[in-house]
Amino acid sequence: MISEASFIDVALRSWKNNVDRAGTFFSALSQEELQREIAPGKNRLIYLWGHLAAVNDRMVAILGFGERLHPELDAMFVSNPDKTVDLTLSPEKLKHIWDEVNERLWTGICNLSPSEWLQKHTAVSDADFIREPHRNRFAVLLGRTAHLAYHFGQAVLAKHES
Amino acid sequence: MISEASFIDVALRSWKNNVDRAGTFFSALSQEELQREIAPGKNRLIYLWGHLAAVNDRMVAILGFGERLHPELDAMFVSNPDKTVDLTLSPEKLKHIWDEVNERLWTGICNLSPSEWLQKHTAVSDADFIREPHRNRFAVLLGRTAHLAYHFGQAVLAKHES
């Protein structure tokens, strides 16, 4: 039990580090900087931030913490590519949503027991889970941590860092 | 014990997925494509690939599997920025090293017991580990998985994907 908690602790730290790093980075950008593309013709920084907020918001439901908070993000940041839909929220509002979503998630994941981490997430069927028991909540956490790092690596390119 | 193994299994799958995804991507690039920059003035794809190979090679020693295989990679891909040092290895050779390093790592990490995963890695001192027991092998694995994802997110930008 102590040992299981140690594995979870490491994963939570990794998640938190990646969320905080992204949050600090995006929150410090001006409205003008958020309009920058990460590379010519690619996504803008504001789109990446909204995309990460939307995907994290989806985790609320996938991890079984209840309904997600901001389904309206998907049309702007998930279902459609950047620059095809008007963004109807300000950077301040996005920052508020970012903090709200990640606090909701953090509260939820800090309260899961080891056995709950190994239960299936809500996006996998009972039948699939019998065949693939690794499709559990813990896998969602690690997958989304990598997803954050993937897009954060892109975001820093627009900020003249490497 | 069974449960600990489940947490490790998820992390190994995430590691392997990220290694395989990067390996498939870089291996398919032509010599010419490998010279592309991920964004104007930024690292070339060949540099990112070599950088990931070098950092994974360092893991061999950090995880306590013995001496790393290719310390000569560091001068080209870690200690110096891209385009400041001549790259003295061909893409074929780099592909060979990539496979060799990742196979060595995979063999090592598949043989670690849960308690060994929670032991300190070789880059942390005994004194620091007493204060910060989360600086263990498992943290190295999760950190390096995020590192792979971070740079892979950058690499795909040069390949006209998002």
Side-chain angles (χ1 to χ4, degrees):
Chain A
M1 182 68 182
I2 290 168
S3 170
E4 288 164 352
S6 300
F7 288 103
I8 295 164
D9 175 60
V10 169
L12 292 195
R13 283 171 185 275
S14 176
W15 166 258
K16 190 81 165 55
N17 282 344
N18 278 278
V19 168
D20 288 349
R21 185 170 68 158
T24 300
F25 174 86
F26 286 111
S27 301
L29 298 174
S30 67
Q31 188 142 4
E32 190 181 14
E33 287 172 322
L34 283 166
Q35 299 302 317
R36 278 197 204 144
E37 295 173 333
I38 50 175
K42 305 289 180 178
N43 292 327
R44 290 171 298 165
L45 288 168
I46 183 92
Y47 185 84
L48 281 194
W49 194 13
H51 177 71
L52 291 174
V55 169
N56 287 3
D57 187 43
R58 286 176 166 204
M59 284 175 71
V60 172
I62 291 172
L63 292 176
F65 302 148
E67 290 192 21
R68 59 183 293 193
L69 308 174
H70 293 284
E72 76 279 6
L73 296 175
D74 281 14
M76 284 182 278
F77 300 115
V78 179
S79 330
N80 297 295
D82 191 17
K83 298 163 229 166
T84 60
V85 176
D86 281 341
L87 303 187
T88 55
L89 83 182
S90 65
E92 292 72 27
K93 176 68 182 165
L94 183 49
K95 161 91 172 95
H96 177 79
I97 290 176
W98 174 262
D99 290 338
E100 181 190 14
V101 164
N102 288 310
E103 279 170 31
R104 177 73 192 85
L105 270 179
W106 187 243
T107 302
I109 64 183
C110 285
N111 284 314
L112 289 175
S113 68
S115 65
E116 286 170 331
W117 273 112
L118 297 179
Q119 288 167 358
K120 81 179 191 71
H121 58 74
T122 65
V124 63
S125 70
D126 290 338
D128 284 347
F129 190 63
I130 289 169
R131 280 198 311 274
E132 302 177 299
H134 56 273
R135 296 176 67 181
N136 50 41
R137 284 192 178 99
F138 197 62
V140 172
L141 184 74
L142 300 199
R144 295 308 187 280
T145 303
H147 179 258
L148 267 166
Y150 177 99
H151 287 302
F152 184 67
Q154 298 178 331
V156 298
L157 293 174
K159 188 64 182 163
H160 313 304
E161 294 169 23
S162 62
Chain B
M1 181 69 184
I2 288 167
S3 171
E4 288 164 352
S6 300
F7 288 102
I8 295 164
D9 175 60
V10 169
L12 292 194
R13 284 171 185 275
S14 176
W15 166 258
K16 191 79 165 58
N17 281 344
N18 279 278
V19 168
D20 288 350
R21 184 170 69 158
T24 300
F25 174 86
F26 286 112
S27 302
L29 298 174
S30 67
Q31 188 141 6
E32 191 182 12
E33 287 172 321
L34 283 166
Q35 299 301 319
R36 277 196 205 144
E37 294 173 334
I38 50 176
K42 304 290 181 179
N43 293 325
R44 291 171 300 166
L45 288 168
I46 183 93
Y47 185 85
L48 281 194
W49 194 12
H51 177 72
L52 292 174
V55 170
N56 286 3
D57 187 43
R58 286 177 166 203
M59 284 175 71
V60 172
I62 291 172
L63 293 176
F65 302 150
E67 289 192 21
R68 58 182 294 192
L69 308 175
H70 293 284
E72 77 279 7
L73 295 175
D74 282 13
M76 284 183 279
F77 301 115
V78 179
S79 329
N80 297 294
D82 191 16
K83 298 166 228 164
T84 61
V85 176
D86 280 343
L87 303 187
T88 56
L89 83 183
S90 65
E92 293 72 27
K93 176 67 182 168
L94 183 50
K95 161 91 171 99
H96 177 80
I97 289 176
W98 174 262
D99 290 338
E100 181 191 15
V101 164
N102 289 308
E103 278 168 33
R104 177 72 194 84
L105 270 180
W106 187 243
T107 302
I109 64 184
C110 286
N111 284 313
L112 289 175
S113 68
S115 65
E116 285 170 331
W117 274 113
L118 297 179
Q119 288 167 358
K120 81 179 191 67
H121 58 73
T122 65
V124 64
S125 70
D126 290 337
D128 284 347
F129 191 63
I130 289 170
R131 281 198 311 274
E132 301 177 299
H134 57 272
R135 296 176 68 181
N136 51 40
R137 285 191 177 99
F138 197 63
V140 172
L141 184 75
L142 300 200
R144 296 309 186 278
T145 303
H147 179 257
L148 268 166
Y150 177 98
H151 287 302
F152 185 67
Q154 297 177 332
V156 299
L157 293 174
K159 186 67 182 163
H160 313 304
E161 294 168 21
S162 64

